[in-house]
Amino acid sequence: MNGVQRQARAVRLGPRSVAALALVSAVGVVGFVWPFLAPPTSRLSAHAQDAPWLFAGLLVLLVAVATATISETGLGPKAVAMLGVLAATGAALRPIGAGTAGIEPMFFLMVLSGRVLGPGFGFVLGSVTMFASALLTGGVGPWMPFQMLAMGWFTMGAGLLPFPDRLRGRPELLLLAVYGFLAAFAYGTVMNLAGWPFMNTLASAVAFDPQAPLPANMARFLAYCLATSLGWDLGRALVTVVLTLALGRPVLKALRRATRRAAFETPVTFDAPMWRDSAAN
């Protein structure tokens, strides 16, 4: 179309990358929602305290495989440099709101980066940023693989939003703000699913009960979300919206300018050494 410039992508997902992402996402979904899938009489429910550790270990391997596959099929040296800068920035932003409900500016940067750089780069960026921030803040534990996967989904989703080549200005900011608001709640909900089975049933009436039927556990989980994370998730969502609307325009412009100058889709070439040209003459 005339007047529409196609937005460059740092990573173009191929069949292998899509297959790796589909595999890790499918296992991740099971890892998050298994308390609702396993009947009270299943062996998995009998090991409710061990199952999160099993899925955490499995997700570490699968996220690593997906990241390696994407890197092998399309993450060139210029994209790696961009990944390092954005991941370091995101990891540095996360501790700003440590201990303060919902002040997490890292999410706003992930939304804008995923929008500009695409879903493949977004998944790798979200996972690597969360890993780096966990090391920076000392937040390493069985929840970390779930955080990496959830943040990978969060950032990848921004890259899947419609009209990346045509939508600009206020409409694009509104789209990103709405996505950031909803995705911030979705992130909090899936992370609640990751931590909920670790609670001791005897310690709380909202903990996961492996012997309870599905409706009872769903009611317990809803009560758990309302009691423990609703305020934090709301704060995260509002901060993401405010930062997107206030700073989104210059940050998007800077990211797109850096993307154009990097020319990710142009292969790196090297000129012949000058001494060889001189010898030929």
Side-chain angles (χ1 to χ4, degrees), residues 71-99:
S71 301
E72 179 185 356
T73 57
L75 202 60
K78 292 180 285 187
V80 170
M82 178 75 79
L83 174 67
V85 171
L86 291 175
T89 304
L93 285 175
R94 193 181 182 201
I96 291 177

Side-chain angles (χ1 to χ4, degrees), residues 3-270:
V4 177
Q5 183 177 7
R6 188 173 65 89
Q7 183 167 299
R9 293 301 195 196
V11 175
R12 291 286 174 182
L13 292 178
R16 290 175 55 194
S17 301
V18 172
L21 282 174
L23 175 62
V24 69
S25 296
V27 175
V29 168
V30 175
F32 280 116
V33 304
W34 72 265
F36 300 128
L37 301 177
T41 57
S42 71
R43 297 176 62 88
L44 192 60
S45 294
H47 296 276
Q49 294 298 313
D50 302 329
W53 291 91
L54 171 65
F55 283 114
L58 186 59
L59 284 177
V60 168
L61 298 176
L62 289 176
V63 170
V65 168
T67 302
T69 302
I70 294 172
S71 301
E72 179 185 356
T73 57
L75 202 60
K78 292 180 285 187
V80 170
M82 178 75 79
L83 174 67
V85 171
L86 291 175
T89 304
L93 285 175
R94 193 181 182 201
I96 291 177
T100 306
I103 301 179
E104 295 183 277
M106 179 182 73
F107 285 79
F108 132 83
L109 179 62
M110 295 298 103
V111 170
L112 301 187
S113 300
R115 172 65 172 177
V116 173
L117 294 161
F121 187 95
F123 180 85
V124 177
L125 175 62
S127 300
V128 171
T129 302
M130 188 56 71
F131 177 75
S133 67
L135 297 180
L136 184 63
T137 60
V140 178
W143 54 84
M144 187 184 71
F146 294 97
Q147 288 179 323
M148 292 173 61
L149 180 59
M151 185 57 70
W153 285 340
F154 181 97
T155 313
M156 181 175 67
L160 293 172
L161 292 174
F163 310 120
D165 302 323
R166 290 181 290 176
L167 195 63
R168 293 292 185 270
R170 177 63 63 174
E172 183 180 34
L173 291 180
L174 291 176
L175 174 66
L176 295 176
V178 170
Y179 172 80
F181 184 86
L182 297 176
F185 274 102
Y187 175 87
T189 301
V190 297
M191 287 312 304
N192 284 341
L193 281 170
W196 182 50
F198 280 110
M199 292 187 64
N200 190 332
T201 308
L202 300 178
S204 174
V206 299
F208 169 60
D209 183 359
Q211 304 305 319
L214 175 62
N217 269 324
M218 291 189 69
R220 283 170 171 261
F221 178 70
L222 178 60
Y224 173 79
C225 291
L226 293 175
T228 62
S229 68
L230 179 61
W232 190 283
D233 293 341
L234 179 61
R236 179 194 300 120
L238 293 177
V239 167
T240 302
V241 169
V242 170
L243 290 178
T244 299
L245 295 178
L247 302 176
R249 191 183 300 271
V251 174
L252 286 171
K253 184 179 297 185
L255 287 171
R256 287 187 170 119
R257 184 186 303 114
T259 301
R260 286 194 301 271
R261 291 183 176 179
F264 293 117
E265 297 177 349
T266 302
V268 178
T269 59
F270 298 95

